[in-house]
Amino acid sequence: MLRNGLEPWHLLIVAVVLIVPFGSKKLPDAARALGKSMRILKSEAKAMKETDPQ
C-alpha cells in the first residue's frame, strides 16, 4: 500500500485535513504551540538522561 512512501497528493490530503478543522488563521498558532511543546519535551528528556545514574 505504501510502497512509494509519501507522494504529493498525500501531503495535500494531510494539509486539507489540518486546515478544515482548525481554519487557516489558527493553524500558525497551533504549529507554534506544538513547536514550543516539543522543545520543552526535548529539554526535559535531555535533563532526565543527564541525571540518570547508571
Side-chain angles (χ1 to χ4, degrees):
M1 185 170 165
L2 289 175
R3 290 176 294 195
N4 298 331
L6 288 177
E7 294 182 12
W9 64 273
H10 290 126
L11 298 176
L12 179 66
I13 291 172
V14 170
V16 168
V17 167
L18 288 175
I19 290 172
V20 167
F22 294 113
S24 61
K25 293 189 179 200
K26 292 191 178 191
L27 199 56
D29 294 334
R32 194 173 301 116
L34 180 63
K36 187 183 286 188
S37 298
M38 291 302 293
R39 282 192 298 273
I40 291 170
L41 179 65
K42 189 176 180 180
S43 67
E44 291 295 324
K46 184 178 178 183
M48 286 178 64
K49 190 181 280 188
E50 289 174 354
T51 61
D52 189 25
Q54 287 187 2

